[in-house]
Amino acid sequence: MSDTTIWITGATEGIGLELARKQPYKGARIINLSRRESPDYESVFVDFTDPSTWDNVRKHLETELANFKGKRAIFIQSAYWREGHGVLEKTTPETYRKSLFANVTAPLAMGEMFVRAVKPGYESGLVMMSAGAAVACLEGLSTYGSGKIALEHWAQILDKELGDAPGRPWVAAVRPGGTLTSGLRRQIAE
Protein backbone atom coordinates (compact mmCIF):
# COMPACT_ATOMS: atom_id res chain seq x y z
CA MET A 1 0.00 0.00 0.00
CA SER A 2 1.38 3.38 -1.00
CA ASP A 3 1.68 6.24 1.46
CA THR A 4 1.00 8.76 -1.34
CA THR A 5 -2.09 9.19 -3.50
CA ILE A 6 -2.02 11.64 -6.40
CA TRP A 7 -5.09 12.60 -8.40
CA ILE A 8 -4.29 14.07 -11.81
CA THR A 9 -6.90 15.43 -14.17
CA GLY A 10 -6.08 14.41 -17.73
CA ALA A 11 -3.39 11.84 -16.91
CA THR A 12 -4.03 10.17 -20.26
CA GLU A 13 -1.80 12.43 -22.37
CA GLY A 14 0.29 15.59 -22.43
CA ILE A 15 1.48 17.25 -19.25
CA GLY A 16 -0.94 15.24 -17.09
CA LEU A 17 0.50 11.95 -18.31
CA GLU A 18 4.09 13.14 -17.88
CA LEU A 19 3.32 14.34 -14.36
CA ALA A 20 1.93 10.89 -13.56
CA ARG A 21 4.99 9.16 -15.01
CA LYS A 22 7.54 11.42 -13.35
CA GLN A 23 6.01 12.18 -9.96
CA PRO A 24 8.66 11.93 -7.22
CA TYR A 25 7.00 9.53 -4.75
CA LYS A 26 8.08 5.91 -5.19
CA GLY A 27 5.09 3.63 -5.53
CA ALA A 28 2.55 6.45 -5.43
CA ARG A 29 -1.02 5.55 -6.26
CA ILE A 30 -2.00 7.60 -9.32
CA ILE A 31 -5.66 8.23 -10.10
CA ASN A 32 -6.54 9.67 -13.50
CA LEU A 33 -9.62 11.91 -13.62
CA SER A 34 -10.64 12.06 -17.26
CA ARG A 35 -13.11 11.22 -20.02
CA ARG A 36 -10.70 8.53 -21.15
CA GLU A 37 -9.56 5.58 -19.12
CA SER A 38 -5.83 5.24 -18.62
CA PRO A 39 -4.19 1.91 -19.44
CA ASP A 40 -1.61 2.57 -16.71
CA TYR A 41 -3.52 4.20 -13.83
CA GLU A 42 -6.80 3.92 -11.99
CA SER A 43 -9.40 6.12 -13.63
CA VAL A 44 -12.48 8.00 -12.50
CA PHE A 45 -14.75 9.25 -15.27
CA VAL A 46 -15.37 12.98 -15.53
CA ASP A 47 -16.20 15.12 -18.54
CA PHE A 48 -15.24 18.72 -17.86
CA THR A 49 -17.71 19.89 -20.53
CA ASP A 50 -20.59 18.24 -18.66
CA PRO A 51 -21.16 19.45 -15.08
CA SER A 52 -23.54 16.53 -14.44
CA THR A 53 -20.44 14.26 -14.30
CA TRP A 54 -18.46 16.38 -11.83
CA ASP A 55 -20.08 14.72 -8.82
CA ASN A 56 -18.22 11.52 -9.76
CA VAL A 57 -15.05 13.28 -8.66
CA ARG A 58 -16.58 14.79 -5.52
CA LYS A 59 -17.98 11.42 -4.36
CA HIS A 60 -14.71 9.64 -5.16
CA LEU A 61 -12.62 12.20 -3.24
CA GLU A 62 -14.95 12.17 -0.25
CA THR A 63 -14.86 8.36 -0.11
CA GLU A 64 -11.09 8.08 -0.57
CA LEU A 65 -10.21 10.83 1.90
CA ALA A 66 -12.78 10.10 4.63
CA ASN A 67 -10.45 7.62 6.32
CA PHE A 68 -7.19 8.29 4.49
CA LYS A 69 -4.25 6.57 6.23
CA GLY A 70 -1.41 7.69 3.94
CA LYS A 71 1.25 10.35 4.41
CA ARG A 72 0.18 12.63 1.57
CA ALA A 73 -2.72 13.32 -0.76
CA ILE A 74 -2.05 15.57 -3.75
CA PHE A 75 -4.40 16.82 -6.44
CA ILE A 76 -3.02 18.14 -9.73
CA GLN A 77 -5.41 20.02 -12.01
CA SER A 78 -3.87 19.58 -15.45
CA ALA A 79 -6.64 18.79 -17.94
CA TYR A 80 -8.05 21.15 -20.53
CA TRP A 81 -10.48 20.81 -23.42
CA ARG A 82 -8.79 21.72 -26.67
CA GLU A 83 -11.85 21.23 -28.92
CA GLY A 84 -13.20 24.58 -27.71
CA HIS A 85 -10.41 26.69 -29.16
CA GLY A 86 -11.39 29.16 -31.82
CA VAL A 87 -12.44 32.73 -32.42
CA LEU A 88 -15.81 33.46 -30.78
CA GLU A 89 -17.52 34.41 -34.04
CA LYS A 90 -16.43 31.15 -35.67
CA THR A 91 -17.29 28.88 -32.73
CA THR A 92 -20.80 27.56 -32.15
CA PRO A 93 -22.50 28.72 -28.96
CA GLU A 94 -22.64 25.12 -27.69
CA THR A 95 -18.90 24.59 -28.25
CA TYR A 96 -18.07 27.90 -26.62
CA ARG A 97 -20.19 27.09 -23.55
CA LYS A 98 -18.57 23.66 -23.25
CA SER A 99 -15.17 25.33 -23.41
CA LEU A 100 -16.19 27.75 -20.65
CA PHE A 101 -17.23 24.81 -18.46
CA ALA A 102 -14.13 22.77 -19.26
CA ASN A 103 -11.44 25.43 -19.20
CA VAL A 104 -12.76 27.95 -16.67
CA THR A 105 -15.31 26.43 -14.29
CA ALA A 106 -14.33 22.76 -14.00
CA PRO A 107 -10.70 23.33 -12.91
CA LEU A 108 -11.84 25.55 -10.04
CA ALA A 109 -14.64 23.15 -9.10
CA MET A 110 -12.20 20.20 -9.01
CA GLY A 111 -9.82 22.12 -6.75
CA GLU A 112 -12.66 23.12 -4.45
CA MET A 113 -13.84 19.50 -4.18
CA PHE A 114 -10.37 18.32 -3.18
CA VAL A 115 -9.85 21.06 -0.57
CA ARG A 116 -13.22 20.30 1.02
CA ALA A 117 -12.49 16.54 1.11
CA VAL A 118 -9.02 16.57 2.73
CA LYS A 119 -8.70 16.14 6.49
CA PRO A 120 -5.93 16.99 8.99
CA GLY A 121 -3.40 14.29 9.82
CA TYR A 122 -1.49 14.03 6.55
CA GLU A 123 0.15 16.34 4.03
CA SER A 124 -2.25 17.53 1.38
CA GLY A 125 -1.60 19.77 -1.57
CA LEU A 126 -3.35 21.24 -4.59
CA VAL A 127 -1.45 22.07 -7.79
CA MET A 128 -3.23 24.12 -10.44
CA MET A 129 -1.44 23.92 -13.80
CA SER A 130 -1.58 27.19 -15.68
CA ALA A 131 -0.03 28.27 -19.00
CA GLY A 132 1.53 31.23 -20.75
CA ALA A 133 -1.93 31.97 -22.14
CA ALA A 134 -2.75 33.34 -18.68
CA VAL A 135 -0.78 36.48 -19.50
CA ALA A 136 -0.89 36.60 -23.31
CA CYS A 137 -3.92 37.70 -25.30
CA LEU A 138 -4.03 35.01 -27.96
CA GLU A 139 -6.84 35.04 -30.51
CA GLY A 140 -8.83 31.83 -30.46
CA LEU A 141 -7.91 31.05 -26.85
CA SER A 142 -10.31 33.29 -24.95
CA THR A 143 -11.73 30.55 -22.72
CA TYR A 144 -8.39 28.82 -22.24
CA GLY A 145 -6.46 32.00 -21.42
CA SER A 146 -9.13 33.41 -19.13
CA GLY A 147 -9.41 30.04 -17.41
CA LYS A 148 -5.68 29.94 -16.72
CA ILE A 149 -5.48 33.43 -15.24
CA ALA A 150 -8.61 32.68 -13.20
CA LEU A 151 -7.09 29.55 -11.70
CA GLU A 152 -3.85 31.37 -10.84
CA HIS A 153 -5.78 34.12 -9.08
CA TRP A 154 -8.11 31.60 -7.40
CA ALA A 155 -5.13 29.60 -6.08
CA GLN A 156 -3.55 32.76 -4.61
CA ILE A 157 -6.78 33.79 -2.91
CA LEU A 158 -7.49 30.26 -1.66
CA ASP A 159 -4.00 30.00 -0.19
CA LYS A 160 -4.62 33.23 1.77
CA GLU A 161 -8.08 32.09 2.87
CA LEU A 162 -6.75 28.76 4.17
CA GLY A 163 -3.96 30.51 6.05
CA ASP A 164 -1.48 28.62 8.17
CA ALA A 165 -3.96 26.44 10.05
CA PRO A 166 -2.53 23.02 10.95
CA GLY A 167 -3.61 20.32 8.53
CA ARG A 168 -4.68 22.69 5.81
CA PRO A 169 -3.58 21.86 2.25
CA TRP A 170 -0.86 23.81 0.54
CA VAL A 171 -1.93 25.42 -2.74
CA ALA A 172 0.20 26.28 -5.76
CA ALA A 173 -0.40 27.50 -9.29
CA VAL A 174 2.32 26.51 -11.75
CA ARG A 175 2.88 28.15 -15.13
CA PRO A 176 5.22 25.77 -16.98
CA GLY A 177 5.61 27.84 -20.12
CA GLY A 178 5.33 26.55 -23.65
CA THR A 179 5.26 22.78 -23.81
CA LEU A 180 4.97 20.87 -27.05
CA THR A 181 2.52 18.18 -26.00
CA SER A 182 0.90 15.57 -28.22
CA GLY A 183 -2.35 17.58 -28.10
CA LEU A 184 -0.60 20.75 -29.24
CA ARG A 185 1.11 18.83 -32.04
CA ARG A 186 -2.31 17.66 -33.27
CA GLN A 187 -3.65 21.23 -33.15
CA ILE A 188 -0.71 22.55 -35.13
CA ALA A 189 -1.19 19.83 -37.76
CA GLU A 190 -4.90 20.73 -38.18
Side-chain angles (χ1 to χ4, degrees):
M1 178 120 196
S2 174
D3 64 358
T4 300
T5 300
I6 304 172
W7 288 267
I8 304 174
T9 63
T12 53
E13 71 176 333
I15 292 174
L17 179 58
E18 290 307 310
L19 287 167
R21 289 178 176 160
K22 295 183 173 125
Q23 56 75 30
Y25 304 105
K26 185 175 170 96
R29 178 182 175 203
I30 306 294
I31 302 171
N32 167 51
L33 305 171
S34 178
R35 289 179 295 161
R36 291 180 290 148
E37 210 164 301
S38 167
D40 302 315
Y41 308 108
E42 294 177 54
S43 294
V44 173
F45 176 80
V46 62
D47 181 345
F48 277 20
T49 69
D50 182 1
S52 71
T53 69
W54 299 357
D55 263 355
N56 292 341
V57 173
R58 182 188 54 78
K59 290 174 187 172
H60 171 79
L61 289 168
E62 288 174 352
T63 300
E64 289 291 323
L65 293 168
N67 297 302
F68 188 72
K69 303 293 186 220
K71 285 185 180 178
R72 72 188 57 80
I74 298 171
F75 190 101
I76 303 173
Q77 166 50 48
S78 176
Y80 81 101
W81 191 61
R82 70 179 159 271
E83 286 85 0
H85 294 328
V87 177
L88 175 70
E89 295 166 337
K90 295 180 181 178
T91 307
T92 68
E94 179 184 359
T95 299
Y96 200 79
R97 276 187 223 107
K98 283 183 174 183
S99 188
L100 285 169
F101 280 136
N103 296 319
V104 182
T105 309
L108 304 183
M110 297 299 125
E112 177 260 339
M113 290 174 197
F114 176 77
V115 169
R116 289 188 189 275
V118 295
K119 308 282 186 248
Y122 51 86
E123 175 191 359
S124 58
L126 173 64
V127 179
M128 303 296 279
M129 296 301 293
S130 185
V135 293
C137 291
L138 303 171
E139 289 182 30
L141 295 178
S142 62
T143 60
Y144 180 72
S146 61
K148 294 305 184 183
I149 194 63
L151 73 78
E152 285 185 23
H153 196 66
W154 181 83
Q156 289 174 337
I157 293 170
L158 181 63
D159 189 56
K160 288 180 187 286
E161 288 177 355
L162 294 172
D164 294 327
R168 68 87 156 174
W170 49 262
V171 179
V174 177
R175 188 184 307 154
T179 306
L180 189 56
T181 63
S182 58
L184 184 54
R185 282 188 190 98
R186 277 195 303 277
Q187 272 187 286
I188 293 168
E190 293 172 356

